[in-house]
Amino acid sequence: MCGITGWVSYRRDLTAHRETVDAMTETMSCRGPDAQGAWLTPRAALGHRRLAVIDLPGGAQPMEARTEDGTVAMVYSGEAYNYVELREELRRHGHRFETDSDTEVVLRGYLQWGEELAAKLNGMYAFAIWDPRTEKLVMIRDRMGIKPFYFYETDDGVLFGSEPKAILANPLAPAVVGRDGLREIFSFAKTPGFAIWEGMRELKPGHVAVLDRNGLREHAYWQLEATEHTDSRQATVAHVRELLEDIIARQLVADVPRCSLLSGGLDSSAMTALAAEQLGEHGETVRSFAVDFPDQAKNFRAMDISPTQDTPFVHAVREHINCDHSDIMLDGAALSDPAVRRAAVGARDLPVGLGDRDNSLYLLFAAVRQHSTVALSGESADEVFGGYPWFHDERREAQTFPWLAGESPIDLTGALSDDLANTLDLDSYLHDSYSSALAEAPLKEGESGLEKRMRQVCYLHLSRMVQSLLDRKDRMSMAVGLEVRVPFCDHRLVQYVFNTSWSMKTFDGREKSILREATRDLLPDSVVQRKKSGYPGSFDPNYVAAIQAQTSDLLASRHSALDLCHRTRLQEAAEADGATITTRQRSHLERALDLATWFDLHKPVINLS
């Protein structure tokens, strides 16, 4: 896992711009604390920061492959879980390898198959290859968008990076955010390919982009397809179990310490139990970590998305599978620390306004990184198997994104000034975004009624919501040099389960029926029966008091971020009784503080014209 960046220019001599390339690369230092490298030619410059996970002595980047017609170079971030099989196939084609890294397999795979390499990879990856033989840059991103990749077209080429901050370090890319950028920030829509910075784009999941002297072209090499599912329920459950066993076996491969992120929910518990079983065959014990908060049992408030506390279920799994478990305790002082907020907002390059949930995730990952370099996460299982409560009630019929329907705790515009809210018109933006997403959804011929609607709902989650969660996971983990792998995002599993009927997905009258049945033999009954409960928030009154005080200080200042905010609502939230403050009032405080931090870090130019 690494941070990558680069610059291709057909009219400049990039060997004269080493300082700029180094500045772009340095922004990725947290993503790659183990090594750095740069590769410059007149037409192309590549920068790399390395987090060493496989073949620690080898695998240095940028990596070169010499051919009779020129030296092909690559910067690569991620993991190819099938690199061993691909290496053997390439050897049969006559390739010789100098390292044991998956990086070299990917580079030599390009020499053998060109852009068709993308379809052969199983993993999470984002990489760029400069091919001087045709003076083209090939950019490839994994099927589910697990690893990020951004690019910015210039007048004579392109800038690219794992994160926007790498591109913004180049003077050719000004930090301007327009109306649509703000709409994307505040709407929770996560439009594929859209980056909030003007002129910048995100390479879509499952896509290849090629730049040459004729311009830049993109095409999809993979997308979800609607096909007939012919397996019986019993065969489906068995195949899901087989897939999970293979996926987790592949994702446990590493030359560094690895662990599991355990919440006590069905997803992470099943994943951890499978990892424990496989590691146990080699005499190893799985290490696991969970987040918790002081006095959580006393302060906890049940909500639709989080009806139960994690800790009792986490400990039940710990006893059941005998894992080496640690609870990471985070108090209100740590969660409200402005330095932590600065790190979290800086990691995401966005003022998302999730407050303690972002801050706690950053702190959890930082604590885990003290013991492990690789962690497995249950992220995306709810999107794949249909776990959220709105999959199972009237919100699934709403003509908008279901996670925003009904009495959603997400207040899109409450923290914004009336003028800005009117200018952005988020209702219209969301309507257009929803309509576009719905039009993309693949449908099976003759599908109708609930089955058709639930295929659409599943697609909305897999193409939109999961992108937000994967981006958050990647940014927070890589900010502390932790590689987080997501077994439930294996494209084989996603495609297979996507085509099971909704009646099969809910055959026991509950959420995630297939996953529950496929893994129930591994888990304590309390976890098997537990309802979906989302990533926990803190209910520490000290946290609320701290962000109220910080918002009061912000309101007393002349901070430019306040121009976007609704001062009256912020004042009311800052003065509210901490014991009765509403979820929405709390979110107003967190959004304002995130906005101010984002302005301090990125100094965006807001263009509402």
Side-chain angles (χ1 to χ4, degrees), residues 555-609:
L555 286 166
S557 72
R558 295 185 177 181
H559 201 290
S560 54
L562 291 172
D563 293 340
L564 304 184
C565 297
H566 197 295
R567 294 173 185 252
T568 301
R569 290 198 190 106
L570 287 180
Q571 190 71 51
E572 291 171 351
E575 295 173 354
D577 185 332
T580 59
I581 188 172
T582 67
T583 301
R584 291 198 167 199
Q585 284 180 313
R586 177 168 152 168
S587 73
H588 297 165
L589 301 174
E590 292 170 328
R591 169 142 283 173
L593 292 172
D594 275 10
L595 271 171
T597 304
W598 182 60
F599 268 69
D600 291 341
L601 288 170
H602 289 88
K603 298 177 175 53
V605 176
I606 305 300
N607 178 16
L608 296 178
S609 59

Short mmCIF file of all heavy atoms in Angstrom, two decimals, residues 555-609:
data_model
loop_
_atom_site.label_atom_id
_atom_site.label_comp_id
_atom_site.label_asym_id
_atom_site.label_seq_id
_atom_site.Cartn_x
_atom_site.Cartn_y
_atom_site.Cartn_z
N LEU A 555 -17.53 31.25 16.58
CA LEU A 555 -18.51 32.30 16.31
C LEU A 555 -18.00 33.67 16.74
O LEU A 555 -18.39 34.69 16.15
CB LEU A 555 -19.82 31.98 17.03
CG LEU A 555 -20.65 30.84 16.40
CD1 LEU A 555 -21.73 30.38 17.38
CD2 LEU A 555 -21.27 31.28 15.08
N ALA A 556 -17.14 33.70 17.74
CA ALA A 556 -16.60 34.97 18.21
C ALA A 556 -15.47 35.48 17.33
O ALA A 556 -15.04 36.62 17.46
CB ALA A 556 -16.10 34.82 19.66
N SER A 557 -15.02 34.63 16.42
CA SER A 557 -13.93 35.02 15.52
C SER A 557 -14.50 35.60 14.23
O SER A 557 -15.71 35.71 14.07
CB SER A 557 -13.06 33.81 15.20
OG SER A 557 -13.75 32.92 14.33
N ARG A 558 -13.64 35.92 13.31
CA ARG A 558 -14.07 36.37 11.99
C ARG A 558 -13.64 35.36 10.92
O ARG A 558 -13.25 35.73 9.82
CB ARG A 558 -13.47 37.74 11.69
CG ARG A 558 -13.96 38.84 12.61
CD ARG A 558 -13.43 40.19 12.20
NE ARG A 558 -13.96 41.26 13.04
CZ ARG A 558 -13.66 42.55 12.88
NH1 ARG A 558 -12.82 42.92 11.91
NH2 ARG A 558 -14.18 43.45 13.68
N HIS A 559 -13.72 34.12 11.28
CA HIS A 559 -13.26 33.06 10.39
C HIS A 559 -14.07 33.06 9.09
O HIS A 559 -15.30 33.17 9.10
CB HIS A 559 -13.38 31.71 11.08
CG HIS A 559 -12.50 30.65 10.48
ND1 HIS A 559 -12.72 30.11 9.23
CD2 HIS A 559 -11.37 30.05 10.97
CE1 HIS A 559 -11.78 29.22 8.97
NE2 HIS A 559 -10.95 29.16 10.00
N SER A 560 -13.38 32.93 7.97
CA SER A 560 -14.05 32.98 6.66
C SER A 560 -15.02 31.83 6.45
O SER A 560 -15.97 31.94 5.66
CB SER A 560 -13.01 33.00 5.53
OG SER A 560 -12.10 31.92 5.65
N ALA A 561 -14.83 30.72 7.16
CA ALA A 561 -15.75 29.59 7.02
C ALA A 561 -17.15 29.96 7.49
O ALA A 561 -18.14 29.37 7.04
CB ALA A 561 -15.24 28.38 7.80
N LEU A 562 -17.26 30.93 8.39
CA LEU A 562 -18.56 31.33 8.90
C LEU A 562 -19.45 31.93 7.82
O LEU A 562 -20.67 32.00 7.97
CB LEU A 562 -18.40 32.31 10.06
CG LEU A 562 -17.81 31.73 11.35
CD1 LEU A 562 -17.51 32.83 12.35
CD2 LEU A 562 -18.77 30.70 11.95
N ASP A 563 -18.84 32.38 6.72
CA ASP A 563 -19.63 32.93 5.62
C ASP A 563 -20.56 31.87 5.02
O ASP A 563 -21.56 32.22 4.37
CB ASP A 563 -18.72 33.49 4.53
CG ASP A 563 -17.94 34.72 5.00
OD1 ASP A 563 -18.37 35.35 5.98
OD2 ASP A 563 -16.90 35.02 4.39
N LEU A 564 -20.22 30.61 5.21
CA LEU A 564 -21.04 29.52 4.68
C LEU A 564 -22.05 29.01 5.70
O LEU A 564 -22.90 28.18 5.35
CB LEU A 564 -20.15 28.34 4.25
CG LEU A 564 -19.04 28.62 3.23
CD1 LEU A 564 -18.34 27.31 2.87
CD2 LEU A 564 -19.57 29.30 1.99
N CYS A 565 -21.94 29.45 6.94
CA CYS A 565 -22.69 28.85 8.04
C CYS A 565 -23.91 29.66 8.47
O CYS A 565 -23.96 30.88 8.29
CB CYS A 565 -21.78 28.66 9.24
SG CYS A 565 -20.40 27.54 8.95
N HIS A 566 -24.85 28.97 9.08
CA HIS A 566 -26.03 29.60 9.66
C HIS A 566 -25.69 29.95 11.12
O HIS A 566 -25.80 29.09 12.00
CB HIS A 566 -27.23 28.63 9.59
CG HIS A 566 -28.55 29.30 9.77
ND1 HIS A 566 -28.92 29.92 10.95
CD2 HIS A 566 -29.60 29.46 8.91
CE1 HIS A 566 -30.14 30.41 10.82
NE2 HIS A 566 -30.57 30.16 9.58
N ARG A 567 -25.32 31.18 11.35
CA ARG A 567 -24.81 31.57 12.66
C ARG A 567 -25.84 31.39 13.77
O ARG A 567 -25.50 30.99 14.89
CB ARG A 567 -24.33 33.02 12.62
CG ARG A 567 -23.11 33.23 11.72
CD ARG A 567 -22.79 34.71 11.58
NE ARG A 567 -21.72 34.94 10.62
CZ ARG A 567 -20.48 35.32 10.96
NH1 ARG A 567 -20.16 35.49 12.22
NH2 ARG A 567 -19.56 35.52 10.03
N THR A 568 -27.09 31.68 13.48
CA THR A 568 -28.12 31.57 14.52
C THR A 568 -28.27 30.14 14.99
O THR A 568 -28.31 29.86 16.20
CB THR A 568 -29.47 32.11 14.00
OG1 THR A 568 -29.31 33.47 13.60
CG2 THR A 568 -30.53 32.01 15.10
N ARG A 569 -28.34 29.21 14.04
CA ARG A 569 -28.48 27.80 14.43
C ARG A 569 -27.23 27.32 15.17
O ARG A 569 -27.33 26.53 16.12
CB ARG A 569 -28.73 26.93 13.19
CG ARG A 569 -30.10 27.15 12.57
CD ARG A 569 -30.49 26.00 11.65
NE ARG A 569 -31.68 26.33 10.90
CZ ARG A 569 -31.71 26.65 9.63
NH1 ARG A 569 -30.59 26.66 8.93
NH2 ARG A 569 -32.84 26.94 9.03
N LEU A 570 -26.08 27.78 14.74
CA LEU A 570 -24.85 27.39 15.44
C LEU A 570 -24.86 27.93 16.86
O LEU A 570 -24.45 27.23 17.80
CB LEU A 570 -23.62 27.91 14.68
CG LEU A 570 -23.26 27.19 13.39
CD1 LEU A 570 -22.01 27.83 12.78
CD2 LEU A 570 -23.01 25.71 13.64
N GLN A 571 -25.29 29.17 17.03
CA GLN A 571 -25.34 29.77 18.36
C GLN A 571 -26.30 28.98 19.26
O GLN A 571 -25.98 28.69 20.42
CB GLN A 571 -25.78 31.23 18.28
CG GLN A 571 -25.63 32.00 19.58
CD GLN A 571 -24.17 32.25 19.92
OE1 GLN A 571 -23.42 32.75 19.09
NE2 GLN A 571 -23.77 31.88 21.13
N GLU A 572 -27.46 28.63 18.72
CA GLU A 572 -28.43 27.85 19.49
C GLU A 572 -27.86 26.49 19.88
O GLU A 572 -28.05 26.02 21.01
CB GLU A 572 -29.71 27.67 18.68
CG GLU A 572 -30.50 28.96 18.48
CD GLU A 572 -31.64 28.79 17.50
OE1 GLU A 572 -31.70 27.72 16.85
OE2 GLU A 572 -32.47 29.72 17.36
N ALA A 573 -27.15 25.84 18.96
CA ALA A 573 -26.57 24.54 19.26
C ALA A 573 -25.44 24.66 20.29
O ALA A 573 -25.29 23.80 21.17
CB ALA A 573 -26.04 23.89 17.98
N ALA A 574 -24.68 25.72 20.18
CA ALA A 574 -23.57 25.92 21.13
C ALA A 574 -24.07 26.19 22.54
O ALA A 574 -23.39 25.89 23.52
CB ALA A 574 -22.68 27.07 20.66
N GLU A 575 -25.27 26.76 22.65
CA GLU A 575 -25.83 27.11 23.97
C GLU A 575 -26.83 26.08 24.48
O GLU A 575 -27.37 26.22 25.59
CB GLU A 575 -26.51 28.48 23.88
CG GLU A 575 -25.54 29.62 23.58
CD GLU A 575 -26.25 30.94 23.33
OE1 GLU A 575 -27.52 30.94 23.29
OE2 GLU A 575 -25.56 31.97 23.20
N ALA A 576 -27.11 25.03 23.70
CA ALA A 576 -28.10 24.03 24.09
C ALA A 576 -27.63 23.25 25.32
O ALA A 576 -26.44 23.11 25.58
CB ALA A 576 -28.36 23.07 22.93
N ASP A 577 -28.60 22.75 26.07
CA ASP A 577 -28.30 21.88 27.21
C ASP A 577 -27.63 20.61 26.68
O ASP A 577 -28.20 19.91 25.84
CB ASP A 577 -29.59 21.55 27.94
CG ASP A 577 -29.37 20.76 29.22
OD1 ASP A 577 -28.36 20.02 29.30
OD2 ASP A 577 -30.20 20.86 30.14
N GLY A 578 -26.46 20.32 27.18
CA GLY A 578 -25.72 19.16 26.69
C GLY A 578 -26.45 17.85 26.87
O GLY A 578 -26.23 16.89 26.12
N ALA A 579 -27.36 17.79 27.85
CA ALA A 579 -28.09 16.54 28.11
C ALA A 579 -29.24 16.34 27.13
O ALA A 579 -29.70 15.21 26.93
CB ALA A 579 -28.62 16.54 29.54
N THR A 580 -29.71 17.42 26.51
CA THR A 580 -30.86 17.31 25.62
C THR A 580 -30.57 17.77 24.20
O THR A 580 -31.48 17.83 23.37
CB THR A 580 -32.04 18.14 26.18
OG1 THR A 580 -31.64 19.52 26.29
CG2 THR A 580 -32.48 17.60 27.53
N ILE A 581 -29.32 18.10 23.89
CA ILE A 581 -28.97 18.56 22.55
C ILE A 581 -29.37 17.49 21.53
O ILE A 581 -29.18 16.28 21.76
CB ILE A 581 -27.47 18.89 22.46
CG1 ILE A 581 -27.14 19.54 21.12
CG2 ILE A 581 -26.61 17.64 22.70
CD1 ILE A 581 -25.71 20.07 21.05
N THR A 582 -29.95 17.91 20.42
CA THR A 582 -30.40 16.95 19.42
C THR A 582 -29.25 16.48 18.54
O THR A 582 -28.19 17.12 18.47
CB THR A 582 -31.49 17.57 18.53
OG1 THR A 582 -30.90 18.61 17.73
CG2 THR A 582 -32.63 18.13 19.36
N THR A 583 -29.48 15.35 17.87
CA THR A 583 -28.48 14.83 16.95
C THR A 583 -28.17 15.84 15.86
O THR A 583 -27.01 16.02 15.46
CB THR A 583 -28.97 13.51 16.33
OG1 THR A 583 -29.23 12.56 17.36
CG2 THR A 583 -27.94 12.94 15.37
N ARG A 584 -29.19 16.52 15.37
CA ARG A 584 -28.97 17.50 14.31
C ARG A 584 -28.20 18.71 14.80
O ARG A 584 -27.34 19.24 14.10
CB ARG A 584 -30.31 17.90 13.70
CG ARG A 584 -30.94 16.75 12.92
CD ARG A 584 -32.02 17.22 11.97
NE ARG A 584 -32.38 16.14 11.05
CZ ARG A 584 -33.00 16.31 9.90
NH1 ARG A 584 -33.33 17.53 9.52
NH2 ARG A 584 -33.30 15.29 9.13
N GLN A 585 -28.50 19.18 16.01
CA GLN A 585 -27.74 20.30 16.55
C GLN A 585 -26.27 19.93 16.71
O GLN A 585 -25.38 20.72 16.39
CB GLN A 585 -28.33 20.73 17.90
CG GLN A 585 -29.62 21.51 17.80
CD GLN A 585 -30.15 21.89 19.16
OE1 GLN A 585 -30.21 21.07 20.08
NE2 GLN A 585 -30.53 23.16 19.32
N ARG A 586 -26.05 18.74 17.18
CA ARG A 586 -24.66 18.29 17.32
C ARG A 586 -23.97 18.23 15.96
O ARG A 586 -22.80 18.62 15.83
CB ARG A 586 -24.65 16.92 18.00
CG ARG A 586 -23.29 16.29 18.14
CD ARG A 586 -23.35 15.10 19.07
NE ARG A 586 -22.33 14.12 18.75
CZ ARG A 586 -22.00 13.10 19.52
NH1 ARG A 586 -22.61 12.92 20.67
NH2 ARG A 586 -21.08 12.25 19.15
N SER A 587 -24.70 17.78 14.94
CA SER A 587 -24.09 17.71 13.60
C SER A 587 -23.79 19.10 13.07
O SER A 587 -22.82 19.29 12.32
CB SER A 587 -25.01 16.95 12.64
OG SER A 587 -26.14 17.72 12.27
N HIS A 588 -24.60 20.11 13.43
CA HIS A 588 -24.31 21.49 13.01
C HIS A 588 -22.97 21.95 13.58
O HIS A 588 -22.17 22.57 12.88
CB HIS A 588 -25.41 22.43 13.49
CG HIS A 588 -26.75 22.15 12.90
ND1 HIS A 588 -27.92 22.67 13.42
CD2 HIS A 588 -27.13 21.39 11.84
CE1 HIS A 588 -28.94 22.25 12.70
NE2 HIS A 588 -28.49 21.47 11.74
N LEU A 589 -22.74 21.64 14.85
CA LEU A 589 -21.47 22.02 15.48
C LEU A 589 -20.30 21.34 14.78
O LEU A 589 -19.28 21.98 14.47
CB LEU A 589 -21.49 21.63 16.96
CG LEU A 589 -22.58 22.22 17.84
CD1 LEU A 589 -22.52 21.61 19.24
CD2 LEU A 589 -22.46 23.73 17.92
N GLU A 590 -20.45 20.06 14.52
CA GLU A 590 -19.35 19.30 13.92
C GLU A 590 -19.07 19.75 12.49
O GLU A 590 -17.91 19.85 12.08
CB GLU A 590 -19.68 17.80 13.97
CG GLU A 590 -19.69 17.27 15.41
CD GLU A 590 -20.25 15.87 15.53
OE1 GLU A 590 -21.14 15.49 14.76
OE2 GLU A 590 -19.78 15.13 16.42
N ARG A 591 -20.13 20.07 11.76
CA ARG A 591 -19.92 20.54 10.39
C ARG A 591 -19.20 21.89 10.37
O ARG A 591 -18.30 22.10 9.56
CB ARG A 591 -21.25 20.64 9.66
CG ARG A 591 -21.16 21.35 8.32
CD ARG A 591 -22.05 20.72 7.30
NE ARG A 591 -21.49 19.50 6.76
CZ ARG A 591 -22.14 18.68 5.93
NH1 ARG A 591 -23.37 18.94 5.59
NH2 ARG A 591 -21.56 17.59 5.46
N ALA A 592 -19.59 22.79 11.24
CA ALA A 592 -18.95 24.11 11.28
C ALA A 592 -17.47 23.99 11.65
O ALA A 592 -16.61 24.64 11.04
CB ALA A 592 -19.67 25.02 12.26
N LEU A 593 -17.17 23.15 12.62
CA LEU A 593 -15.78 22.98 13.03
C LEU A 593 -14.96 22.31 11.92
O LEU A 593 -13.80 22.67 11.69
CB LEU A 593 -15.71 22.15 14.32
CG LEU A 593 -16.28 22.83 15.57
CD1 LEU A 593 -16.35 21.85 16.73
CD2 LEU A 593 -15.45 24.06 15.95
N ASP A 594 -15.57 21.35 11.24
CA ASP A 594 -14.88 20.72 10.10
C ASP A 594 -14.64 21.73 8.98
O ASP A 594 -13.56 21.75 8.36
CB ASP A 594 -15.69 19.54 9.57
CG ASP A 594 -15.43 18.25 10.33
OD1 ASP A 594 -14.77 18.31 11.38
OD2 ASP A 594 -15.91 17.19 9.89
N LEU A 595 -15.64 22.55 8.70
CA LEU A 595 -15.48 23.57 7.66
C LEU A 595 -14.33 24.52 7.98
O LEU A 595 -13.50 24.83 7.11
CB LEU A 595 -16.78 24.36 7.49
CG LEU A 595 -17.81 23.84 6.50
CD1 LEU A 595 -19.10 24.62 6.63
CD2 LEU A 595 -17.28 23.91 5.07
N ALA A 596 -14.29 24.99 9.20
CA ALA A 596 -13.23 25.92 9.60
C ALA A 596 -11.86 25.26 9.48
O ALA A 596 -10.89 25.88 9.01
CB ALA A 596 -13.48 26.41 11.02
N THR A 597 -11.79 24.00 9.88
CA THR A 597 -10.51 23.27 9.79
C THR A 597 -10.11 23.09 8.34
O THR A 597 -8.93 23.24 7.98
CB THR A 597 -10.64 21.91 10.49
OG1 THR A 597 -11.06 22.10 11.85
CG2 THR A 597 -9.32 21.16 10.47
N TRP A 598 -11.07 22.76 7.49
CA TRP A 598 -10.81 22.58 6.06
C TRP A 598 -10.30 23.88 5.44
O TRP A 598 -9.35 23.87 4.64
CB TRP A 598 -12.09 22.11 5.39
CG TRP A 598 -12.03 21.84 3.92
CD1 TRP A 598 -11.23 20.93 3.29
CD2 TRP A 598 -12.83 22.46 2.91
NE1 TRP A 598 -11.49 20.94 1.93
CE2 TRP A 598 -12.47 21.86 1.68
CE3 TRP A 598 -13.81 23.43 2.92
CZ2 TRP A 598 -13.06 22.24 0.48
CZ3 TRP A 598 -14.42 23.80 1.71
CH2 TRP A 598 -14.04 23.20 0.51
N PHE A 599 -10.91 25.01 5.78
CA PHE A 599 -10.45 26.30 5.29
C PHE A 599 -9.01 26.56 5.74
O PHE A 599 -8.18 27.04 4.95
CB PHE A 599 -11.37 27.42 5.79
CG PHE A 599 -12.48 27.76 4.86
CD1 PHE A 599 -13.52 26.86 4.64
CD2 PHE A 599 -12.51 28.96 4.19
CE1 PHE A 599 -14.57 27.17 3.78
CE2 PHE A 599 -13.54 29.29 3.31
CZ PHE A 599 -14.58 28.39 3.11
N ASP A 600 -8.71 26.24 6.98
CA ASP A 600 -7.35 26.47 7.49
C ASP A 600 -6.32 25.63 6.75
O ASP A 600 -5.22 26.09 6.44
CB ASP A 600 -7.29 26.14 8.99
CG ASP A 600 -8.07 27.12 9.84
OD1 ASP A 600 -8.37 28.23 9.35
OD2 ASP A 600 -8.40 26.77 10.99
N LEU A 601 -6.68 24.38 6.45
CA LEU A 601 -5.74 23.44 5.84
C LEU A 601 -5.58 23.68 4.34
O LEU A 601 -4.46 23.70 3.81
CB LEU A 601 -6.20 22.00 6.07
CG LEU A 601 -6.07 21.45 7.49
CD1 LEU A 601 -6.79 20.11 7.59
CD2 LEU A 601 -4.60 21.28 7.87
N HIS A 602 -6.69 23.82 3.61
CA HIS A 602 -6.64 23.83 2.16
C HIS A 602 -6.80 25.21 1.53
O HIS A 602 -6.54 25.37 0.34
CB HIS A 602 -7.73 22.90 1.60
CG HIS A 602 -7.44 21.45 1.81
ND1 HIS A 602 -7.81 20.76 2.94
CD2 HIS A 602 -6.80 20.54 1.03
CE1 HIS A 602 -7.42 19.51 2.84
NE2 HIS A 602 -6.81 19.34 1.70
N LYS A 603 -7.28 26.15 2.35
CA LYS A 603 -7.47 27.52 1.84
C LYS A 603 -8.20 27.52 0.49
O LYS A 603 -7.72 28.08 -0.50
CB LYS A 603 -6.13 28.25 1.75
CG LYS A 603 -5.46 28.39 3.12
CD LYS A 603 -4.10 29.04 3.02
CE LYS A 603 -3.53 29.28 4.42
NZ LYS A 603 -3.51 28.06 5.27
N PRO A 604 -9.37 26.88 0.44
CA PRO A 604 -10.09 26.80 -0.83
C PRO A 604 -10.61 28.16 -1.27
O PRO A 604 -11.02 28.99 -0.45
CB PRO A 604 -11.24 25.85 -0.52
CG PRO A 604 -11.48 26.05 0.95
CD PRO A 604 -10.12 26.26 1.55
N VAL A 605 -10.61 28.36 -2.57
CA VAL A 605 -11.26 29.53 -3.16
C VAL A 605 -12.67 29.10 -3.54
O VAL A 605 -12.84 28.20 -4.38
CB VAL A 605 -10.49 30.04 -4.39
CG1 VAL A 605 -11.25 31.19 -5.04
CG2 VAL A 605 -9.08 30.45 -4.00
N ILE A 606 -13.68 29.69 -2.91
CA ILE A 606 -15.06 29.32 -3.17
C ILE A 606 -15.61 30.16 -4.31
O ILE A 606 -15.62 31.39 -4.24
CB ILE A 606 -15.94 29.50 -1.92
CG1 ILE A 606 -15.34 28.72 -0.74
CG2 ILE A 606 -17.36 29.05 -2.20
CD1 ILE A 606 -15.22 27.23 -0.96
N ASN A 607 -16.04 29.49 -5.37
CA ASN A 607 -16.55 30.17 -6.56
C ASN A 607 -18.02 29.83 -6.75
O ASN A 607 -18.36 28.73 -7.22
CB ASN A 607 -15.73 29.76 -7.79
CG ASN A 607 -16.23 30.40 -9.06
OD1 ASN A 607 -16.99 31.37 -9.02
ND2 ASN A 607 -15.83 29.85 -10.20
N LEU A 608 -18.91 30.75 -6.39
CA LEU A 608 -20.34 30.52 -6.51
C LEU A 608 -20.95 31.14 -7.76
O LEU A 608 -22.17 31.16 -7.91
CB LEU A 608 -21.07 31.05 -5.27
CG LEU A 608 -20.72 30.36 -3.95
CD1 LEU A 608 -21.45 31.01 -2.79
CD2 LEU A 608 -21.03 28.87 -4.03
N SER A 609 -20.10 31.64 -8.65
CA SER A 609 -20.61 32.29 -9.86
C SER A 609 -21.10 31.26 -10.88
O SER A 609 -20.78 30.10 -10.80
CB SER A 609 -19.52 33.14 -10.49
OG SER A 609 -18.40 32.36 -10.83
#
